Amino acid sequence: MAKQLTSRKEDYSKWYNELVIKADLAEHSAVRGCMVIKPYGFAIWEKMKAQLDKRFKATGHQNAAFPLLIPKSFFAKEAKHVEGFALESAVVTHYRLKNQGDGNIVVDPDAKLEEELIIRPTSETIIWNTYKNWIQSYRDLPILINQWANVMRWEMRTRLFLRTAEFFWQEGHTAHATKEEAMEEAKLMQKEYADFMEGYIAVPVIRGTKSESERFAGAEETFTCEGLMQDGKALQMGTSHFLGQNFAKAFDVKFQTKEGTLEHVWATSWGVSTRMMGALVMAHSDDEGLILPPKLAPIHVGMVPIYKNEEQLNQIREKFQHIGAQLSNANITFKIDDDDAKRPGFKFAEFELKGIPVRLGLGPRDMENGTIEVARRDTKEKSSQPIENIATHIEGLLKEIQTSIYKKADDFRKANTTTVSSYDELKEVVDQGGFAVANWDGSTETEDKVKEETKATIRCIPNEGGEADGDCLVSGKAGKHKVLYAKAY
RNA sequence: CGGGAUGUAGCUCAGUUCGGUUAGAGUACACGUCUGGGGGGCGUGGGGUCGGAAGUUCAAAUCUUCUCAUCCCGACCA
């Protein structure tokens, strides 16, 4: 069979690309840098969405939808924002095509737009332009809105899920009367993200604050969730920004306080994207294929009948359906693969490639003994279990798998997080992959120097343990924070 | 955007240097058959105009130019 994946050890990057395609998560489209998310991949994304959406609503947010296109002039209003996105903006300049007559369709030069429109790379500007009309008084605040949308950033180098020109995400945009409240909101969303990533994607994340140079364009503070992938590179999985009054000032959004004064509104924005799909793949999977945490797996249990003739198949299928009914009662999803054109070994491999957490094998031998073969994807362990109450066994097993996957990722992260005591050691650690924890003098110069010499960046100042306890390893100056350095995606 | 590589059947690739009958293989697919506890065996069959466009030529997958896309390195990256 030609389905063998390149191993992680041989070429991690190739392994990732092949796995995303072979496991049917996504594929390249005809458009540069834009992917097609296939049904299996989208089903996982939908599970992520459902859980996040629930959390957003539980914390008081509502969904809304804003336009895909943003007038160019809006970007000019916030200086840092435009600087951050100018180089990757897709621009709409015309609104009509015309047939030249010889079958060639051309852009109609007479249909040039008065003002060009930018395909949103993020929606702060159009949203703040809208909020201006919604906010007059302190009674109109806070505004807590989220939108599920696609955005476009014309990236130079793209990779499926990790960095695509078009990607799907959610972006929360909130408006508050006080700085404290906005800050609270930004931190709350970081916590919601981190809890989701750890509890569902089963990837432990470092919660921290970005250094100035890594901050979102237009933010005063960026809170991040940093994950560590199997190749030792860090991945920014989600960010939440305290925007201060920058956008309120840029779009002149003021409100009247209880005391009658006029003040600018305080803002936050926060987002997670389909990039989390990349994290899911890179954090857990192995050379046989995906390993999905049960909480996000579209199919929990794959069932493979083993038979010699139709009579046996019918008996086994009936048994599977019976088990399936019990699983459904426990909200466990399953698939019976009774495709006669494929043999059992093929189906085993296929379920492994797709990362289905539990596989059941049932044949004449089991039928006689009243047992069933249960295989778990993450550890590849197989055991023979009594067929009675198998649903209960599986329910427990799925929980165990969820915990076990997280623990494995957490152990990996711990094993690859090193507190370093010299610049040489820092270089060594980031070079072999992983987080290097070190004191930093707080200067951009130091950060730039490390980046140039090691290709590692400051991933964040961690929320816990971010206090300096010594001098900066690079400059020798007094340490301002204790930070995590790593090479990143 | 700079450097390098690639693009031929659904997929993986040979053929391109030195243009020359109806463009090949493996795999996948369809049908038949024997099978069936880790990616099956045998047989038959369908499928591509060689990423796209223009050019050179009696003749182009093969040469030239342009263009699109993907991968790797670099720069960039909320």
Side-chain angles (χ1 to χ4, degrees):
Chain A
M1 291 296 288
K3 281 221 166 171
Q4 281 286 330
L5 286 168
T6 299
S7 72
R8 285 166 295 177
K9 204 176 157 190
E10 195 183 324
D11 188 339
Y12 190 83
S13 176
K14 198 173 177 191
W15 164 81
Y16 174 82
N17 287 331
E18 284 180 8
L19 179 51
V20 168
I21 289 171
K22 287 185 174 168
D24 250 352
L25 299 179
E27 63 186 31
H28 293 285
S29 72
V31 185
R32 196 206 95 105
C34 297
M35 63 180 168
V36 173
I37 302 177
K38 299 184 76 176
Y40 191 62
F42 205 77
I44 298 171
W45 174 239
E46 281 181 315
K47 287 206 141 192
M48 290 185 175
K49 274 173 77 171
Q51 175 56 216
L52 286 165
D53 201 65
K54 200 171 131 192
R55 284 168 185 263
F56 299 155
K57 285 168 181 162
T59 45
H61 303 86
Q62 292 180 295
N63 286 333
F66 293 85
L68 170 72
L69 300 174
I70 300 175
K72 189 181 74 180
S73 59
F74 282 23
F75 275 88
K77 295 189 179 186
E78 217 290 335
K80 283 191 176 151
H81 195 64
V82 66
E83 201 180 301
F85 289 104
L87 296 175
E88 49 188 42
S89 293
V91 186
V92 178
T93 56
H94 292 75
Y95 58 86
R96 193 164 60 210
L97 297 173
K98 79 177 181 185
N99 195 328
Q100 270 189 321
D102 57 1
N104 279 332
I105 304 290
V106 295
V107 173
D108 187 342
D110 295 333
K112 195 164 168 16
L113 288 169
E114 194 75 6
E115 179 180 358
E116 292 92 341
L117 298 167
I118 313 298
I119 300 175
R120 62 183 170 209
T122 180
S123 303
E124 275 80 2
T125 56
I126 185 81
I127 287 180
W128 278 89
N129 183 71
T130 307
Y131 282 180
K132 176 181 166 58
N133 302 323
W134 293 0
I135 299 168
Q136 323 290 335
S137 143
Y138 73 94
R139 293 177 198 277
D140 298 323
L141 298 170
I143 292 180
L144 304 172
I145 283 180
N146 174 63
Q147 94 166 332
W148 289 97
N150 55 343
V151 290
M152 179 159 276
R153 297 179 190 178
W154 210 260
E155 300 287 354
M156 290 297 128
R157 241 174 115 178
T158 60
R159 292 190 74 189
L160 292 171
F161 289 120
L162 296 175
R163 179 171 290 111
T164 45
E166 180 193 30
F167 58 90
F168 295 83
W169 76 343
Q170 60 68 218
E171 45 180 328
H173 296 275
T174 67
H176 307 266
T178 66
K179 179 180 180 177
E180 292 69 30
E181 192 184 303
M183 193 59 102
E184 279 302 301
E185 165 78 6
K187 287 179 179 169
L188 171 67
M189 297 326 285
Q190 178 192 35
K191 181 183 176 300
E192 290 294 331
Y193 285 158
D195 288 350
F196 167 74
M197 289 161 190
E198 297 186 338
Y200 281 74
I201 309 179
V203 175
V205 293
I206 307 287
R207 308 160 192 217
T209 306
K210 284 291 186 188
S211 63
E212 189 183 346
S213 64
E214 295 278 327
R215 215 174 266 163
F216 175 72
E220 296 204 343
E221 201 77 275
T222 289
F223 302 107
T224 182
C225 300
E226 298 285 324
L228 188 64
M229 304 297 109
Q230 287 183 73
D231 62 347
K233 284 170 90 174
L235 181 70
Q236 176 180 308
M237 290 172 64
T239 46
S240 175
H241 317 288
F242 168 67
L243 302 175
Q245 294 174 309
N246 293 342
F247 285 90
K249 284 176 181 164
F251 288 89
D252 193 30
V253 186
K254 291 180 190 157
F255 72 102
Q256 197 163 20
T257 64
K258 212 168 184 174
E259 293 74 33
T261 57
L262 216 50
E263 285 177 19
H264 283 110
V265 172
W266 297 85
T268 81
S269 69
W270 28 275
V272 291
S273 71
T274 36
R275 175 181 256 201
M276 288 191 299
M277 294 286 292
L280 175 68
V281 174
M282 288 199 297
H284 306 306
S285 304
D286 64 19
D287 295 347
E288 268 68 54
L290 289 179
I291 291 178
L292 297 178
K295 284 187 184 177
L296 294 175
I299 300 166
H300 296 120
V301 180
M303 305 185 189
V304 181
I306 295 142
Y307 56 95
K308 289 198 200 311
N309 54 51
E310 191 138 347
E311 192 193 334
Q312 283 182 353
L313 172 60
N314 287 335
Q315 282 176 9
I316 293 166
R317 191 194 281 123
E318 200 178 309
K319 200 79 186 168
F320 272 152
Q321 281 163 351
H322 181 68
I323 295 168
Q326 293 176 337
L327 292 175
S328 294
N329 285 335
N331 285 319
I332 295 167
T333 54
F334 65 96
K335 180 184 173 183
I336 301 169
D337 192 350
D338 59 358
D339 182 353
D340 190 46
K342 293 181 172 63
R343 301 169 78 257
F346 183 92
K347 295 174 184 176
F348 294 165
E350 194 67 17
F351 282 152
E352 276 162 13
L353 179 62
K354 293 274 185 92
I356 293 169
V358 173
R359 188 187 70 235
L360 298 179
L362 187 59
R365 238 158 44 203
D366 295 298
M367 292 290 270
E368 258 177 51
N369 302 334
T371 60
I372 190 161
E373 185 189 78
V374 180
R376 55 187 277 187
R377 172 63 184 92
D378 62 331
T379 59
K380 306 271 284 290
E381 283 166 348
K382 285 194 277 197
S383 68
S384 192
Q385 299 290 331
I387 204 158
E388 290 300 317
N389 294 322
I390 190 66
T392 311
H393 176 77
I394 291 170
E395 202 176 351
L397 188 57
L398 288 171
K399 286 195 180 116
E400 192 187 320
I401 292 171
Q402 180 79 34
T403 309
S404 164
I405 291 177
Y406 176 81
K407 188 174 182 303
K408 196 178 170 200
D410 196 42
D411 288 345
F412 178 83
R413 193 214 56 190
K414 283 175 185 153
N416 289 280
T417 302
T418 314
T419 301
V420 296
S421 51
S422 70
Y423 188 28
D424 281 342
E425 196 185 350
L426 189 155
K427 283 180 184 168
E428 204 177 299
V429 168
V430 298
D431 198 54
Q432 71 181 29
F435 289 121
V437 185
N439 287 303
W440 168 52
D441 63 15
S443 75
T444 306
E445 291 73 48
T446 297
E447 210 177 347
D448 289 346
K449 181 180 157 137
V450 172
K451 187 174 179 183
E452 194 170 315
E453 293 177 359
T454 70
K455 289 179 186 168
T457 48
I458 293 178
R459 301 318 302 156
C460 69
I461 302 157
N463 291 356
E464 284 174 31
E467 303 79 25
D469 58 2
D471 295 339
C472 173
L473 295 182
V474 183
S475 70
K477 293 178 192 161
K480 197 171 174 189
H481 301 287
K482 200 160 202 182
V483 299
L484 272 73
Y485 287 96
K487 288 191 200 171
Y489 276 96

